[in-house]
């Protein structure tokens, strides 16, 4: 049986986290008519920008590396907020997607949120249909949308 754990990000995780970010984002750049070195620079710049933005937007957040049998396979970024949990980001390496890892992670967060009767909110990029299906399957619903994102929410079942 496999063991799935999360632990806080450490400085030595940066190489893995960049590789994960790059693997997840690579499909967006496959058809882009720019040289590979420029794609690499662009992805690296976006990685740094995302890290900086999330750190600034969610100063009390918990940024975790996901480990499967002690090997890093993903990341989970959660921010406890004012009356909610914000699922800032979740990513599983594309080679391991579809194996239930993300589902287990979100279900664990849902159990934690249900204990304190708080909703989980997240934002899904409009042009990521796989992520939208994933969240809908786990009970999230779209509460609003704009031109680039779906704003989603999961609420625990009320006690009778």
């Amino acid at each position: 049986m496999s063991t799935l754990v999360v632990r806080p990000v450490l400085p030595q995780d940066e190489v893995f986290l960049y590789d994960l970010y790059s693997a997840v984002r690579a499909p967006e750049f496959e058809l882009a008519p720019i040289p590979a070195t420029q794609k690499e620079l662009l992805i690296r710049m976006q990685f740094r920008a995302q890290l900086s933005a999330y750190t600034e937007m969610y100063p009390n957040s918990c940024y975790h590396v996901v480990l499967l049998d002690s090997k890093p396979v993903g990341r989970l970024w959660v921010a406890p907020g004012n009356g909610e949990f914000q699922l800032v980001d979740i990513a599983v390496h594309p080679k391991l997607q579809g194996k239930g890892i993300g589902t287990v992670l979100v279900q664990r967060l849902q159990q934690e949120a249900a204990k304190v009767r708080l909703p989980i909110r997240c934002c899904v990029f409009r042009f990521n249909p796989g992520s939208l299906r994933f969240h809908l399957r786990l009970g999230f619903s779209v509460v609003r949308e704009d031109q680039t994102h779906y704003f989603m929410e999961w609420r625990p079942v009320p006690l009778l």
Side-chain angles (χ1 to χ4, degrees):
M1 177 177 275
S2 295
T3 303
L4 185 67
V5 298
V6 297
R7 65 154 170 78
V9 166
L10 302 171
Q12 58 265 36
D13 294 321
E14 186 173 347
V15 171
F16 164 73
L17 292 168
Y18 173 74
D19 289 345
L20 174 64
Y21 183 87
S22 182
V24 169
R25 297 295 301 271
E28 297 172 29
F29 294 95
E30 283 178 2
L31 300 177
I34 56 176
T37 53
Q38 286 183 327
K39 287 180 190 179
E40 168 75 18
L41 288 172
L42 183 57
I43 291 172
R44 192 164 295 281
M45 183 179 71
Q46 289 178 337
F47 171 72
R48 294 263 176 244
Q50 182 189 66
L51 181 63
S52 177
Y54 287 172
T55 301
E56 185 177 321
M57 288 170 38
Y58 306 102
N60 298 320
S61 62
C62 305
Y63 187 22
H64 291 96
V65 169
V66 178
L67 304 166
L68 179 64
D69 297 330
S70 302
K71 293 183 178 123
V73 297
R75 69 176 177 216
L76 178 66
W77 201 320
V78 178
N82 189 13
E84 69 177 17
F85 285 94
Q86 181 72 34
L87 178 54
V88 177
D89 193 37
I90 183 172
V92 174
H93 196 284
K95 291 179 182 176
L96 294 168
Q97 289 177 357
K99 298 189 182 307
I101 296 168
T103 297
V104 169
L105 295 169
V106 172
Q107 287 173 339
R108 287 179 183 173
L109 182 60
Q110 288 171 324
Q111 289 169 357
E112 188 177 335
K115 286 179 190 174
V116 292
R117 297 187 195 149
L118 293 177
I120 301 169
R121 295 191 174 99
C122 66
C123 186
V124 173
F125 188 52
R126 183 179 276 283
F127 304 103
N128 188 342
S131 182
L132 178 62
R133 282 191 308 274
F134 171 77
H135 286 85
L136 290 171
R137 183 174 52 79
L138 289 169
F140 285 78
S141 57
V142 176
V143 292
R144 70 183 176 86
E145 57 188 90
D146 64 20
Q147 291 181 333
T148 58
H149 291 88
Y150 295 109
F151 297 87
M152 303 186 79
E153 180 178 84
W154 174 87
R155 288 193 165 273
V157 177
L159 297 175
L160 298 177

